[in-house]
Each structure stands twice: as C-alpha cells, then as structure tokens.
Amino acid sequence: MRDLPAAVAGYGALRRAPVRRRPAPGKVLPSLEAAIAACGLTDGATVSFHHHLRNGDAVLNAVMDALARAGLRGLHVAATSIFPVHAPLVGHIRSGVVGRISAAYISGPVAEAVSRGALAEPVVLRTHGGRARALDLGEVRVDAAFVAAPAADAMGNLSGRAGRAPCGTLGYPMVDVETARHVVAVTDSLVPYPAVPAEIPQTKVDFVVEVARIGDPSGIASGATRPATDPLGLGIAGQAAAVIAASGLLTEGFSFQTGAGGVSLATAAAVGREMAARGVTGSFASGGITGFHVEMLEAGLFRALMDVQCFDLAAVASLGRNPGHMAMSAATYAGPHVGGAVVDRLSAVVLGAAEVDTDFNVNVTTRADGTIIGGSGGHADTAQGARLTVVTTRLTAAGHAKIVPRVGTLTTPGETIDVVVTEAGIAVNPLRPELADRLRHAGLPLVSIEALAAKAAAAAERPAPAAPEGRIVAISEYRDGTVTDVIRAIGEAAP
Amino acid sequence: MRDLPAAVAGYGALRRAPVRRRPAPGKVLPSLEAAIAACGLTDGATVSFHHHLRNGDAVLNAVMDALARAGLRGLHVAATSIFPVHAPLVGHIRSGVVGRISAAYISGPVAEAVSRGALAEPVVLRTHGGRARALDLGEVRVDAAFVAAPAADAMGNLSGRAGRAPCGTLGYPMVDVETARHVVAVTDSLVPYPAVPAEIPQTKVDFVVEVARIGDPSGIASGATRPATDPLGLGIAGQAAAVIAASGLLTEGFSFQTGAGGVSLATAAAVGREMAARGVTGSFASGGITGFHVEMLEAGLFRALMDVQCFDLAAVASLGRNPGHMAMSAATYAGPHVGGAVVDRLSAVVLGAAEVDTDFNVNVTTRADGTIIGGSGGHADTAQGARLTVVTTRLTAAGHAKIVPRVGTLTTPGETIDVVVTEAGIAVNPLRPELADRLRHAGLPLVSIEALAAKAAAAAERPAPAAPEGRIVAISEYRDGTVTDVIRAIGEAAP
C-alpha cells in the first residue's frame, strides 16, 4: 500500500486495507433445510410466498414441510394468495407449525379451516396494494421470502420466462425481495449464468435452492379463461360495455382493467370493438394479463399492458417479445403509499362480486354461509383508483341472492363502486348522479339497487343464512390498513 | 362504516377511516425551480446526477443554474461522471454554489479546476461499484436525485428508449432513485401515460419537470468507437486476444468486458473470432454496451449482454428488441456490497491505462503532470472481479512514458492486474506464475514489467514531471471505501 496521510481535512481518516481478488460467492444451497438454517429462522418467524404459480404451486408446501421438519413453530405465513393446492397448510396449522396467516386471497381447504376457527390468531386479509404497503412501510417484517422461480442462476438472477414452468412476470415478490431480511429463490431450472431474461436481479437474492419441481404448469395457467359465450353472461357483458361506452370515458388514452373471468373478458371484447369503431387508442390495460389482453395490445387497441401477473402462456410469450408489455411490481400496480399507483390511473375497471348490497358495498371474501372463499386481491385497490368502477353480477348464485340488503363481509366500500350491472338491469350509485344522467341518455335500463335486491330476493331459491356469530377469525383490511370488516367463525371452532 | 369492535384479540385496535376515491396525483411541476422548492433543498444539500447523456448532457448544467438562482450554497454534487460539457460547474464552484463534488470520473474543465485547487474540500473519486455501495449503505445521503430521462410520463415512469435523445439503459440512476430523499425526473419528452418501455417505474419518482432539451444526441453517443484499425493498435489488440486465448479461460460460458476504446473493441473482435473458431458460446458481455457488442450477441457469441449504459443507438435499439440484452443497475454491475456483482462473474476484462507501474498498479485518474483526467469508473471494479485482467497500453503517450516506476495516482491496485500488453511485449504479474507458464507455452513474447518500464523510459521524449506537492484536492477510493491514493493540487491554488 502507498504511504498516505492518516487523515485529510474535509474528508477524515483514510481507511486502508490490503486488496484481494474477489471470487464471486456461491449462493446455491443444497436443500431447503440448508436455506432455512442459513436464514437463521426461529419460532414465530415470518415467511412469505407469492402466487404466480397459482393452483399449480409446489413451493409453499415444500417450504412449509421443510420448516416443520426443522422443528419451527408459530410461524407467520405471509402469502400473496393461498389456493386449494395449499391444503397441506391445514395440517401445519393444526400441528402448531403455523400460528398466523396473512394474504390477499385465500380459497380452498385453508380458507375453510380458518373459517372453522383452526387458527387462534385472526388471519389478516389485505388488498394487493395494502400488502405492498404493509411490507414497504415495515408493518409486516418478512424474515425470509421464498420466491418460486421458473429459472434461476447461481447468483440469484430470477427469470419467469424460462425453465419448465414459466409464469412470466414476478410482480408480487418484487415487493418481498426489496424488504425481506433474507430472500431464498426456489427453482427447478438452475440455468447457466446469467438467467435470461431476469425479472429479479441477483442483488436481491441471498440463496438459491434447486428442487425437483416448483409446480405443475397446467395449474399455473388456472387464472386464464376465455370470454363468456353463454347468453346470460354475454348479455351482462354487453350491458357493462354499454355503460363504459356511455360514460364519457371511452376516449383517446382510455385505460382499463378487468378480471380474467368469462364475463369480464367478454366485456373487454365488447369494449374493444367499440374502441375500434370509434378509432380510440387506449393507453394501457393492467392487472393479471391473458392472451386475450395480448391480442388487444397487438391489435393496437392499447399502447401498453401493465402486467403484475401473467395468467397464461400467451401472456408469458408476449412479455418477452413486446416492449409495450411491461412487468410491474405489486407496489407499482396498487400501492396506496407510492404517490400514485397504476390502478389510480385507470379509466374503468370491471369487477365481479360474491355479494353486493344496497349501499353498493361488495363482498368478495365470504360466501353466503360466511365461509371464506377469497379476499380483495386487487378488487378494492382498483375500485378506489378507477374513475369508473363497474361490478357485474347475476342476481343469484347457488340459489342465494347476490344483491342483498347487507353484504356478509364488506370487502370493497360502496363509495368506490359506481355501477352494478345484472341481467335484470343496471343500478348507478346515487353518489354519481351525473353518471346516471349519461347512462339514461344512452337509453340504458337503469333501476335502483333496491329494486335489484328485491328481484334477487324473489329469484332466490334459498333463504339468506344467518350471519356467523363465532369469534373473529379474520380481519379484512383496506388498502391503507384501516379495517373494512371482521369475519367470524362458522360452525364449531376446531379444538 | 360498519359497526365493528374497537379491537380484536391477536390483532389489536381496528383503525377506521372514511373511504374516499383516490384520483392519481400529478407529479409534473412547471420548472426546475419548483422542483427545487418541492424537494426542500437547503444550503449544503447533496444533489445527484447520472452520465448516460455523457458529453451531450444538458441536465446537470440546467439544474445547477437553477440551484444557483435559488440562492443555494455549499452544495454537494454527487455525480456518476462529469464531462467537458459540464464546464459551467467551474463557475458554480468559484461562486460558492458548489462546495463538494464526488464522482466516479471527472474530465475536462471541472477536473482541471479541481486540480488547481478550486474546491476547499477534497473531491471524492469512487468506483462505479463504490458509489453504489456508498449510496446503498447510507455513506452518501442524496437529498435530490435529478434523473435525465429521454421520456417520462406524468406519473414518473421513465424510459431511456423513447423521446428525442434516447440513451437506453438508466443503470446508474437506478441506485440513486432507490436511496435519494427526493427524485426529480427531467425530460424533454413528456409522453402520454404510460411511458413505454419504462426503465424506472413511477413508484421511484416524486416529481417530473419538462425542459426544452435534456441534451445533444450527438454528444450522447460520444462513448462509442469502432475497433482500432491502425497497425500498432491492432498489434496490441491481437496480443491481448492471444493472452485470453492462451489463458485457459476461453471455454464454454466465457464472460467478457472491454471498454469502448478502439484497442479494446479490436481485442473483442479478435476474441470473438477465436470463440467462433473454437465453437465456444460465451455467457455474457458486460459494462457499457456498443453496437459492436450487439453484433456479438446476435452472432451467438454470447447468450446475454449485461448493460449498465448504452454507448450508441445500436445498443439502444437492441435493448428493446432482444430479451438477452438486459439492463442492470450500477449496484448489480459492480457493487462490492451486494453478495456478488456481475463484475465478480467476469472471466476476463481488457482495460486501458494512463500509467502502469512496475508493481502493476494502474493510474487512470491523472495524467503525467498530475492533472485529473478521469477516475476509476468501472476500472477497479472489473479488475478485482475478473479472473483475468488484461491492461493494454502503448509504451508512451504525448512523449511521456506510460510504464513507469511508480504511477502518479494509484487507481487500481496491481494485485488485481494480471497482464500488461504493449507493442514491446507482454508482462505477467509475478503473482500469477501459472498464467505466465500458459502464455509462455503458447509462444507469447513475455518480458518483465521492469524491462517494459526501461523501454518506455528509453522511448520517452519528455522527462517525467515532478509529482505535484500541493494540498490534497481529491481522494481516490476503492470499491470498498478504503483509500488507494490522494491527489494533490498542481500549480497555484485558485484563490
């Protein structure tokens, strides 16, 4: 080393050290057990997961099994969504390995077990944006984020577009890898450096574990559907599209989100035809992206797709091919804390509902008997952000009325719902008289929400079940962390 | 709002609040002055800039003029690089608007003024990776990062591939936007939402200001050259390529970085021919990327380009077109703090030098008379990371010897330099006897570094100037923040 002064005015002491070459460290560990040890996880730790592999995911179960074998107890599972495939989690709840759960969406056996009181502590259901907020602001501290990666290299570059089970964007764990104390990538395709193209860069990943399989590709595509073709669904979709067409918002730069359900996609198709007829080019479509959205991009109906999750392989392929098809993180998508998220730029969103009440409140969390069947996901985020929020629903399902005096669980506040479209007419929120005027002028069949509720009650074959009165088993949080509702246990609580 | 309990066991108090719709906030401010006010900048604040617009950049000067008009003094300019176009900064130094400078590279009038003692406080010269480390670890706290954005939308999505002065990747400010207290995008192309494709997402940007022009596109391409064609340069390049070919590293998965100088690119061309002859597919080429690198990617010589900065429009076009051409942040590129950066995966790097000494230390910071002419940039980062570091240099330049007993400024430690290639032979670092054996077996003309120094001294037409003895005007920091050398004032210090 050179002979230098010990300190320099205006700089301070000069740190000196011998220089050594820096071979790149290896991040690959031989097993999930080794990764758990490397993360230093202890009882009560928070472990996070994402749901891009949807009902094909094998990573959450494999990691939870390894955590159980490691003897850990009372863990907090902070997932983005939990699906029927995650049924083994019920066993880990009963054995005490899992003590807490938070998620944006829970369906299947885990949801049923929670509804029956399997967990002593209430589940926290957040919106997608609310979960990103809770992580970014430190309200939830993740000790280890487990990222299911369709392909990874030894340095931790993670690709969603290569490997045996490509899922495209990794928008949800983008939030986790920024804030978790440790990040473990789990892959079944450990590829030569560098993984191409990388969704998450190596700087965000601490460890890489190769497993036999991260999931079932057929389950991964379970979010995808095609537009509805049944007359009732097509009718509702056509009316929803007519609402958008008459709203005054279907002009140059129009932006749009729908779910991936059949009625939503049929609505999008009808809106697309109207855009083409008017010569309108939209700015973006957002959310979970399907091949159907890709067709709209490629037809020039939108300039961009803002993609937090690919729902099918056509979307995965487009992401690599089309610069206008852009991945985004859950925070960018829906975070209420980021100074304006993508959802806050939406012209219109079309959403579903398990129930809607006469205050326009929407329930997508519980079914008629009170059992948990989902949660907001992006429902409440987009409803608040969009200038026009349209809920499409049939009057009844499984014999129960879907337009009701009071929703079983308030997931999305009625203040953020503008229009409810059913096969029996269209109800406009009284908070939006100017919108009602526009729709009326367009000749659309407006009715009051009370009239729809009355028709639904008349059409229902089964009475509304009594509201559950058990202890509180889940909390429904809004985007900003305020509470919209509590969910109570059904039937007998588990011991 | 629903009637809910005030608190829930296991969850705590329920926060409640009325729900309101969330219109997207506007981030567009009418002027740089408005942005400065919005950031709440005060005397002594740290403002940061990036150099993707290179010697065509108009943003740093415009922002500094606005800061001066706002009456601010003693500011710390934390730039990635400073070029001749930034000459007006000298006036801001003399007037007291600027009190401190840090950068990875400084050339032109600002460098000369610093060398003559214009600043009371020493300039801190960091490597690209060291700068990322200093920001990420909070050693440098940026109050406002000004990001020159070829295109931006009103929400702060920033694209380097659209607009009037496209520069491609925004790898350097990716670090700043993660850590700065405020981020201001400066653009001359405010495009409809969303900017496509976005290099930096809207969540990272607080304010957007539109200006008449962010820079001169012809200056932006000033980093780009074509491979050398002169006999001396071609000869050195051929020998450097022969060193790599004989090193044992030119096998499947080979990774490579060169600068964008003529000799470096000619070396890359020769290495590419050898790869093709051997049927070797490389893993990646990294660093600043030119059309020449793109040709190598498209010829199948490498699977990926890891691009921290596009040096020409051919690179910009490739970035949008080829999924194997990936942008990376300065931290991913070269950070010593990220658990393994891209440079740490390099098989070989070919670097230039202003001076090399008989301990293999390299100076790329000052010229023979001691005036600052640059700084490490990625030089010391790649030298430490690569398994083989080759420095190419002529024996003399401007009449001065370039192989010297002792470099004027130690930028890159000799421990990390393996081979020096000149027109008068090849010197291998005595720390690498096994490499010398390989090269000798390949019939390469090895000489001692002392012999090269003697030949350089004999060929020099001008004597080595005396080392400057003025006060310390700059500190050369290594990747990890230790100090490799100090730089002293030349001639008379400015008043």
Side-chain angles (χ1 to χ4, degrees), chain B residues 356-362 412-414 417-420 427-430 449:
Chain B
V356 184
D357 71 21
T358 50
D359 290 326
F360 289 79
N361 296 315
V362 176
T412 300
I417 306 294
D418 301 305
V419 184
V420 175
V428 177
N429 192 323
I449 190 77

Side-chain angles (χ1 to χ4, degrees), chain A residues 103-485:
Chain A
Y105 179 96
I106 309 183
S107 66
V110 177
E112 286 167 31
V114 168
S115 285
R116 291 188 181 279
L119 273 171
E121 304 222 28
V123 163
V124 181
L125 292 167
R126 294 189 173 86
T127 72
H128 283 320
R131 182 180 186 277
R133 176 196 53 76
L135 266 66
D136 278 349
L137 303 189
E139 200 172 288
V140 172
R141 296 298 303 270
V142 174
D143 295 296
F146 291 88
V147 181
D153 63 40
M155 296 298 288
N157 291 294
L158 309 186
S159 179
R161 293 178 250 172
R164 290 183 277 160
C167 65
T169 4
L170 294 172
Y172 291 110
M174 281 184 197
V175 175
D176 299 53
V177 303
E178 295 286 347
T179 56
R181 290 193 174 88
H182 302 280
V183 175
V184 180
V186 182
T187 190
D188 53 13
S189 298
L190 189 62
V191 298
Y193 185 90
V196 175
E199 262 71 46
I200 290 178
Q202 64 190 58
T203 47
K204 307 296 183 188
V205 176
D206 299 305
F207 306 112
V208 178
V209 176
E210 194 176 23
V211 296
R213 62 186 262 287
I214 62 167
D216 172 4
S218 69
I220 294 168
S222 64
T225 59
R226 298 297 303 173
T229 52
D230 63 295
L232 201 150
L234 270 180
I236 293 174
Q239 291 291 80
V243 166
I244 292 167
S247 69
L249 295 167
L250 195 61
T251 57
E252 197 67 15
F254 175 73
S255 56
F256 192 40
Q257 180 165 337
T258 68
V263 171
S264 290
L265 292 183
T267 306
V271 168
R273 286 191 294 273
E274 183 66 21
M275 291 169 74
R278 294 186 186 189
V280 162
T281 301
S283 52
F284 69 91
S286 59
I289 298 298
T290 69
F292 180 78
H293 295 93
V294 171
E295 289 167 19
M296 294 184 83
L297 176 70
E298 292 180 352
L301 292 174
F302 291 100
R303 287 189 288 104
L305 300 179
M306 307 290 275
D307 185 346
V308 70
Q309 173 173 41
C310 296
F311 274 142
D312 58 27
L313 290 176
V316 174
S318 165
L319 183 65
R321 185 177 66 221
N322 195 325
H325 186 160
M326 297 190 286
M328 63 178 168
S329 74
T332 303
Y333 168 42
H337 62 300
V338 296
V342 168
V343 297
D344 298 316
R345 291 288 300 205
L346 279 170
S347 303
V349 65
V350 177
L351 297 168
E355 294 176 327
V356 185
D357 71 20
T358 49
D359 289 327
F360 289 79
N361 296 316
V362 175
N363 169 20
V364 288
T365 304
T366 51
R367 69 176 177 223
D369 71 355
T371 306
I372 295 170
I373 53 164
S376 168
H379 197 285
D381 297 308
T382 51
Q384 189 180 34
R387 293 179 64 193
L388 173 66
T389 301
V390 179
V391 167
T392 60
T393 182
R394 300 174 189 217
L395 288 180
T396 63
H400 288 292
K402 297 188 70 177
I403 318 286
V404 295
R406 186 175 188 278
V407 286
T409 303
L410 196 168
T411 315
T412 300
E415 290 89 333
T416 65
I417 306 293
D418 301 304
V419 183
V420 175
V421 177
T422 72
E423 71 272 32
I426 297 168
V428 177
N429 192 323
L431 295 172
R432 298 293 305 275
E434 80 295 349
L435 178 64
D437 285 345
R438 283 179 178 271
L439 303 192
R440 205 174 288 115
H441 283 298
L444 289 170
L446 300 197
V447 295
S448 72
I449 191 76
E450 291 79 9
L452 288 179
K455 288 188 183 185
E461 294 152 8
R462 300 163 68 184
E469 295 190 341
R471 68 179 174 82
I472 293 169
V473 294
I475 308 282
S476 177
E477 278 194 4
Y478 198 53
R479 300 180 78 188
D480 58 3
T482 59
V483 174
T484 60
D485 212 341

Side-chain angles (χ1 to χ4, degrees), chain B residues 88-400:
Chain B
L89 205 50
V90 176
H92 293 306
I93 292 170
R94 298 205 189 283
S95 69
V97 171
V98 172
R100 291 168 62 207
I101 291 177
S102 58
Y105 179 96
I106 310 182
S107 67
V110 177
E112 286 167 30
V114 168
S115 286
R116 291 186 182 280
L119 273 171
E121 303 222 28
V123 163
V124 182
L125 292 167
R126 294 190 174 88
T127 72
H128 283 320
R131 181 181 186 277
R133 177 195 54 76
L135 266 67
D136 277 349
L137 303 189
E139 200 171 289
V140 172
R141 296 298 303 269
V142 174
D143 295 296
F146 291 89
V147 181
D153 63 40
M155 295 299 288
N157 291 294
L158 309 186
S159 179
R161 294 178 250 173
R164 290 184 277 160
C167 66
T169 8
L170 294 172
Y172 292 110
M174 280 184 197
V175 175
D176 299 51
V177 302
E178 295 286 346
T179 57
R181 289 194 175 86
H182 303 280
V183 175
V184 180
V186 183
T187 190
D188 54 12
S189 298
L190 189 61
V191 298
Y193 184 91
V196 175
E199 261 70 48
I200 291 176
Q202 64 191 58
T203 47
K204 307 296 183 186
V205 176
D206 300 305
F207 307 112
V208 178
V209 175
E210 194 175 23
V211 296
R213 62 186 262 288
I214 62 166
D216 173 4
S218 68
I220 294 168
S222 64
T225 59
R226 296 299 302 172
T229 53
D230 64 296
L232 201 151
L234 269 181
I236 293 173
Q239 292 291 80
V243 165
I244 292 167
S247 70
L249 295 167
L250 195 61
T251 57
E252 197 68 13
F254 175 73
S255 56
F256 193 40
Q257 181 166 335
T258 68
V263 171
S264 290
L265 291 185
T267 305
V271 168
R273 285 190 295 272
E274 183 66 21
M275 291 169 73
R278 294 187 186 189
V280 161
T281 302
S283 52
F284 69 91
S286 60
I289 298 298
T290 70
F292 180 77
H293 295 93
V294 171
E295 289 167 20
M296 294 184 83
L297 176 70
E298 293 179 351
L301 293 174
F302 291 100
R303 286 188 288 107
L305 301 179
M306 307 290 276
D307 186 347
V308 71
Q309 173 173 42
C310 296
F311 275 142
D312 58 27
L313 291 177
V316 174
S318 165
L319 183 65
R321 187 177 62 221
N322 194 325
H325 186 160
M326 298 190 284
M328 63 178 169
S329 75
T332 303
Y333 169 41
H337 62 300
V338 295
V342 169
V343 298
D344 299 316
R345 291 288 300 205
L346 279 169
S347 303
V349 63
V350 177
L351 297 168
E355 295 177 326
V356 184
D357 71 21
T358 50
D359 290 326
F360 289 79
N361 296 315
V362 176
N363 170 18
V364 289
T365 304
T366 51
R367 68 176 176 224
D369 72 355
T371 306
I372 295 170
I373 53 164
S376 167
H379 197 286
D381 297 308
T382 51
Q384 189 181 34
R387 293 180 63 193
L388 174 66
T389 302
V390 178
V391 168
T392 59
T393 181
R394 300 173 189 217
L395 289 180
T396 64
H400 289 292

